[in-house]
Amino acid sequence: MQDLGISVLFQGRNFIRLLEGLWVTVSISLISVIISLVLGILMGLIMTSKNPFITLITKVYLEFIRIMPQLVLLFLVYFGITKAFGIHLSGEVSAIIVFSLWGTAEMGDLVRGALISIPKHQYESGMAIGLTKKQIYFYIIIPQTIRRLIPLAINLVTRMIKTTSLIVLIGVVEVVKVGQQIIEASRLSVPSAAIWIYGLIFLLYFIVCYPISLLVRKPMEY
Amino acid sequence: MRIKKLTILILLALSVMGLVACQKDGVDNGDGRSQSARTLDEIKNSGKIKIGVFSDKKPFGYVDEYGEFQGYDIYYGNRIAKDLGVEVEYVAVEAASRAEYLVTAKVDIILANFTVTKERMEKVDFALPYMKVALGIVSPDNALITDVQQLNGKTLIISKGTTAETYFIENHPEVNLLKFDQYSEAYNALLDGRGDAFSTDNTEVHAWAIENEGFFVGVESLGNLDTIAAAVQKGNTELLDWLNNHIKTLGEENFFHQAYEATLAPVYGDATDPDSLVVEGGIVE
């Protein structure tokens, strides 16, 4: 029975199909993550502004994105834009838009939090030993901000990667969906397929997410 | 500070450009601006029809190990495309968003085991049916249940949230129900003898009975008969009429029995009567 289960992975193009599904997952999340990191840092800087109007706008944006389930946002962009403006976006583009909007909002809040968490005396001490404003930012504030930011940002990135399993609902077939297709196609012939397929998917997600956490160990060391 | 602002601006511009570039790709594979469904001519001229199907509901719509769409719905879809003289592009849809694909004209037809209901009729237009489902009851060979009356005072296994649950609560309160959250648990309960029979959609019990020796579907069709039909965008009468005429022509050659033989028979086996599932020419007896 167990031999039978694992053989599902190598029937036909099954294994390649899972890898193709993984590529869809990885490429969509990677593009969204890059956009979110860049725009999120900007967003965070904007959010520290004391201008009440800007604060209001960014607050509304952040809360809107945070309260809305990602699935609703996906439907809004994929079906809603077509309904409202008659523009057909592909599922992939809709997914990237939604994940970037979400990532930017969350990342912005993380950056804001990291920035304001640096105590005032850090700025003042810098000034006291005669550093210029630029030097204070470069040598004192930014390194500390990054150290505080990285674990939070990594958490967000892995969350984004895992949430991509929702995009199947707007017609983008990614790794989890391919897995379900294979399980369902062999449900009667190989009942134990599920454990092998999900096991492999777990491994694939791990292979994608683990290097990301390895990558950040370096800057965390100093 | 100047430099910093500039870099930020450039980065911002780049990412916006990236998004716009992606958007362009997206627009191209739609039919331009229109959100109303494509006419028959537009489909023919484009040389391709888009059909929304399930990708994980064997044996109706699924993807085989070579990544190709297969199943009863697909067999029908291929025929539609062939008779229209166009290529077919299958779009994998999920149960929850099936209707929405039609409303926004992202596909021309939905062939995803779409059960005809009143609520759905308000959102989409259904063509004539090509399949029907009802409840079935599977039980052990040595204590076969061939009639609902035999269940009086006995224990019937049910999956929670299925039509079988509502049907037996409303119509046969004399039957003791043993409920499970998942199909697999319910089947195991039947194998263990914790109940006398198990009831759910007849398609489902048929497929299971084939795989499990010693069990047989004694009651093939029970309860309300639901039909399954192709659906098009509301108001797309041109395509709807074409489908209806097409299905009548197909009835003359017993097309859906062929579809049954090719796709469902290997799963349901000889024990199942094709007429308990197949609808020919759109006529339900």
Side-chain angles (χ1 to χ4, degrees), chain B residues 93-113:
Chain B
V93 300
E94 297 296 310
S97 50
R98 278 178 297 187
E100 215 55 36
Y101 273 90
L102 287 175
V103 173
T104 53
K106 290 192 187 287
V107 297
D108 301 307
I109 303 175
I110 287 280
L111 273 185
N113 221 255

mmCIF file of all heavy atoms in Angstrom, chain B residues 93-113:
data_model
loop_
_atom_site.group_PDB
_atom_site.id
_atom_site.type_symbol
_atom_site.label_atom_id
_atom_site.label_comp_id
_atom_site.label_asym_id
_atom_site.label_seq_id
_atom_site.Cartn_x
_atom_site.Cartn_y
_atom_site.Cartn_z
ATOM 1 N N VAL B 93 -12.195 26.183 -12.443
ATOM 2 C CA VAL B 93 -12.984 27.030 -11.544
ATOM 3 C C VAL B 93 -13.272 26.291 -10.239
ATOM 4 O O VAL B 93 -13.126 25.076 -10.156
ATOM 5 C CB VAL B 93 -14.316 27.470 -12.186
ATOM 6 C CG1 VAL B 93 -14.071 28.251 -13.460
ATOM 7 C CG2 VAL B 93 -15.209 26.268 -12.475
ATOM 8 N N GLU B 94 -13.662 27.066 -9.231
ATOM 9 C CA GLU B 94 -14.035 26.488 -7.941
ATOM 10 C C GLU B 94 -15.538 26.643 -7.764
ATOM 11 O O GLU B 94 -16.146 27.565 -8.320
ATOM 12 C CB GLU B 94 -13.324 27.237 -6.815
ATOM 13 C CG GLU B 94 -11.825 27.122 -6.863
ATOM 14 C CD GLU B 94 -11.347 25.703 -6.654
ATOM 15 O OE1 GLU B 94 -11.791 25.066 -5.689
ATOM 16 O OE2 GLU B 94 -10.534 25.224 -7.452
ATOM 17 N N ALA B 95 -16.105 25.775 -6.959
ATOM 18 C CA ALA B 95 -17.557 25.789 -6.768
ATOM 19 C C ALA B 95 -18.050 27.185 -6.365
ATOM 20 O O ALA B 95 -19.052 27.664 -6.889
ATOM 21 C CB ALA B 95 -17.954 24.771 -5.713
ATOM 22 N N ALA B 96 -17.316 27.829 -5.460
ATOM 23 C CA ALA B 96 -17.801 29.089 -4.898
ATOM 24 C C ALA B 96 -17.870 30.222 -5.915
ATOM 25 O O ALA B 96 -18.708 31.100 -5.813
ATOM 26 C CB ALA B 96 -16.910 29.497 -3.726
ATOM 27 N N SER B 97 -16.988 30.220 -6.920
ATOM 28 C CA SER B 97 -16.940 31.372 -7.827
ATOM 29 C C SER B 97 -17.424 31.047 -9.233
ATOM 30 O O SER B 97 -17.209 31.824 -10.153
ATOM 31 C CB SER B 97 -15.524 31.953 -7.851
ATOM 32 O OG SER B 97 -14.579 30.943 -8.072
ATOM 33 N N ARG B 98 -18.097 29.904 -9.402
ATOM 34 C CA ARG B 98 -18.535 29.507 -10.748
ATOM 35 C C ARG B 98 -19.397 30.558 -11.436
ATOM 36 O O ARG B 98 -19.150 30.930 -12.577
ATOM 37 C CB ARG B 98 -19.317 28.187 -10.670
ATOM 38 C CG ARG B 98 -18.446 26.981 -10.630
ATOM 39 C CD ARG B 98 -19.266 25.731 -10.511
ATOM 40 N NE ARG B 98 -20.025 25.699 -9.264
ATOM 41 C CZ ARG B 98 -20.732 24.642 -8.843
ATOM 42 N NH1 ARG B 98 -20.779 23.559 -9.580
ATOM 43 N NH2 ARG B 98 -21.366 24.681 -7.718
ATOM 44 N N ALA B 99 -20.424 31.036 -10.723
ATOM 45 C CA ALA B 99 -21.362 31.981 -11.340
ATOM 46 C C ALA B 99 -20.665 33.288 -11.703
ATOM 47 O O ALA B 99 -20.934 33.879 -12.752
ATOM 48 C CB ALA B 99 -22.520 32.247 -10.395
ATOM 49 N N GLU B 100 -19.754 33.696 -10.835
ATOM 50 C CA GLU B 100 -19.061 34.966 -11.038
ATOM 51 C C GLU B 100 -18.245 34.982 -12.341
ATOM 52 O O GLU B 100 -18.117 36.011 -12.988
ATOM 53 C CB GLU B 100 -18.149 35.206 -9.831
ATOM 54 C CG GLU B 100 -18.009 36.640 -9.406
ATOM 55 C CD GLU B 100 -19.331 37.325 -9.132
ATOM 56 O OE1 GLU B 100 -20.278 36.679 -8.611
ATOM 57 O OE2 GLU B 100 -19.422 38.506 -9.460
ATOM 58 N N TYR B 101 -17.734 33.831 -12.728
ATOM 59 C CA TYR B 101 -16.973 33.747 -13.981
ATOM 60 C C TYR B 101 -17.857 34.084 -15.167
ATOM 61 O O TYR B 101 -17.402 34.665 -16.156
ATOM 62 C CB TYR B 101 -16.399 32.338 -14.165
ATOM 63 C CG TYR B 101 -15.068 32.145 -13.501
ATOM 64 C CD1 TYR B 101 -14.986 31.705 -12.196
ATOM 65 C CD2 TYR B 101 -13.889 32.414 -14.188
ATOM 66 C CE1 TYR B 101 -13.777 31.534 -11.576
ATOM 67 C CE2 TYR B 101 -12.668 32.247 -13.579
ATOM 68 C CZ TYR B 101 -12.607 31.806 -12.264
ATOM 69 O OH TYR B 101 -11.407 31.650 -11.659
ATOM 70 N N LEU B 102 -19.139 33.720 -15.086
ATOM 71 C CA LEU B 102 -20.065 34.027 -16.167
ATOM 72 C C LEU B 102 -20.495 35.488 -16.119
ATOM 73 O O LEU B 102 -20.543 36.162 -17.146
ATOM 74 C CB LEU B 102 -21.301 33.136 -16.078
ATOM 75 C CG LEU B 102 -21.120 31.674 -16.469
ATOM 76 C CD1 LEU B 102 -22.397 30.909 -16.211
ATOM 77 C CD2 LEU B 102 -20.704 31.544 -17.925
ATOM 78 N N VAL B 103 -20.785 35.968 -14.908
ATOM 79 C CA VAL B 103 -21.257 37.340 -14.752
ATOM 80 C C VAL B 103 -20.232 38.312 -15.328
ATOM 81 O O VAL B 103 -20.582 39.285 -15.982
ATOM 82 C CB VAL B 103 -21.531 37.642 -13.265
ATOM 83 C CG1 VAL B 103 -21.848 39.110 -13.063
ATOM 84 C CG2 VAL B 103 -22.681 36.790 -12.759
ATOM 85 N N THR B 104 -18.948 38.045 -15.094
ATOM 86 C CA THR B 104 -17.912 38.954 -15.576
ATOM 87 C C THR B 104 -17.357 38.520 -16.926
ATOM 88 O O THR B 104 -16.348 39.050 -17.381
ATOM 89 C CB THR B 104 -16.751 39.039 -14.575
ATOM 90 O OG1 THR B 104 -16.306 37.707 -14.296
ATOM 91 C CG2 THR B 104 -17.194 39.677 -13.275
ATOM 92 N N ALA B 105 -18.016 37.539 -17.557
ATOM 93 C CA ALA B 105 -17.644 37.098 -18.898
ATOM 94 C C ALA B 105 -16.197 36.631 -18.995
ATOM 95 O O ALA B 105 -15.536 36.828 -20.007
ATOM 96 C CB ALA B 105 -17.907 38.197 -19.926
ATOM 97 N N LYS B 106 -15.686 36.021 -17.934
ATOM 98 C CA LYS B 106 -14.322 35.500 -18.009
ATOM 99 C C LYS B 106 -14.286 34.153 -18.717
ATOM 100 O O LYS B 106 -13.241 33.709 -19.171
ATOM 101 C CB LYS B 106 -13.710 35.414 -16.612
ATOM 102 C CG LYS B 106 -13.436 36.797 -16.043
ATOM 103 C CD LYS B 106 -12.571 36.764 -14.815
ATOM 104 C CE LYS B 106 -12.456 38.135 -14.186
ATOM 105 N NZ LYS B 106 -11.604 39.064 -14.944
ATOM 106 N N VAL B 107 -15.434 33.493 -18.758
ATOM 107 C CA VAL B 107 -15.562 32.282 -19.575
ATOM 108 C C VAL B 107 -16.874 32.393 -20.362
ATOM 109 O O VAL B 107 -17.745 33.195 -20.018
ATOM 110 C CB VAL B 107 -15.592 30.984 -18.722
ATOM 111 C CG1 VAL B 107 -14.300 30.790 -17.956
ATOM 112 C CG2 VAL B 107 -16.770 30.978 -17.783
ATOM 113 N N ASP B 108 -17.000 31.595 -21.427
ATOM 114 C CA ASP B 108 -18.224 31.640 -22.222
ATOM 115 C C ASP B 108 -19.285 30.706 -21.652
ATOM 116 O O ASP B 108 -20.473 31.018 -21.666
ATOM 117 C CB ASP B 108 -17.921 31.244 -23.675
ATOM 118 C CG ASP B 108 -16.895 32.179 -24.296
ATOM 119 O OD1 ASP B 108 -17.116 33.396 -24.250
ATOM 120 O OD2 ASP B 108 -15.864 31.689 -24.793
ATOM 121 N N ILE B 109 -18.835 29.530 -21.213
ATOM 122 C CA ILE B 109 -19.767 28.528 -20.690
ATOM 123 C C ILE B 109 -19.184 27.951 -19.402
ATOM 124 O O ILE B 109 -17.968 27.823 -19.272
ATOM 125 C CB ILE B 109 -19.939 27.356 -21.697
ATOM 126 C CG1 ILE B 109 -20.422 27.870 -23.047
ATOM 127 C CG2 ILE B 109 -20.913 26.310 -21.156
ATOM 128 C CD1 ILE B 109 -20.504 26.776 -24.114
ATOM 129 N N ILE B 110 -20.068 27.614 -18.472
ATOM 130 C CA ILE B 110 -19.617 26.852 -17.296
ATOM 131 C C ILE B 110 -20.153 25.434 -17.441
ATOM 132 O O ILE B 110 -21.345 25.217 -17.656
ATOM 133 C CB ILE B 110 -20.124 27.477 -15.980
ATOM 134 C CG1 ILE B 110 -19.382 28.765 -15.642
ATOM 135 C CG2 ILE B 110 -19.988 26.484 -14.829
ATOM 136 C CD1 ILE B 110 -18.020 28.600 -15.009
ATOM 137 N N LEU B 111 -19.235 24.472 -17.353
ATOM 138 C CA LEU B 111 -19.610 23.059 -17.421
ATOM 139 C C LEU B 111 -19.034 22.353 -16.194
ATOM 140 O O LEU B 111 -18.380 21.339 -16.314
ATOM 141 C CB LEU B 111 -18.994 22.412 -18.663
ATOM 142 C CG LEU B 111 -19.755 22.472 -19.989
ATOM 143 C CD1 LEU B 111 -19.003 21.671 -21.028
ATOM 144 C CD2 LEU B 111 -21.156 21.943 -19.832
ATOM 145 N N ALA B 112 -19.256 22.963 -15.030
ATOM 146 C CA ALA B 112 -18.598 22.442 -13.840
ATOM 147 C C ALA B 112 -19.606 21.764 -12.928
ATOM 148 O O ALA B 112 -19.808 22.181 -11.793
ATOM 149 C CB ALA B 112 -17.847 23.545 -13.113
ATOM 150 N N ASN B 113 -20.252 20.701 -13.439
ATOM 151 C CA ASN B 113 -21.183 19.929 -12.639
ATOM 152 C C ASN B 113 -22.151 20.864 -11.915
ATOM 153 O O ASN B 113 -22.416 20.711 -10.734
ATOM 154 C CB ASN B 113 -20.394 19.085 -11.628
ATOM 155 C CG ASN B 113 -20.975 17.700 -11.514
ATOM 156 O OD1 ASN B 113 -21.643 17.381 -10.547
ATOM 157 N ND2 ASN B 113 -20.782 16.889 -12.531
#
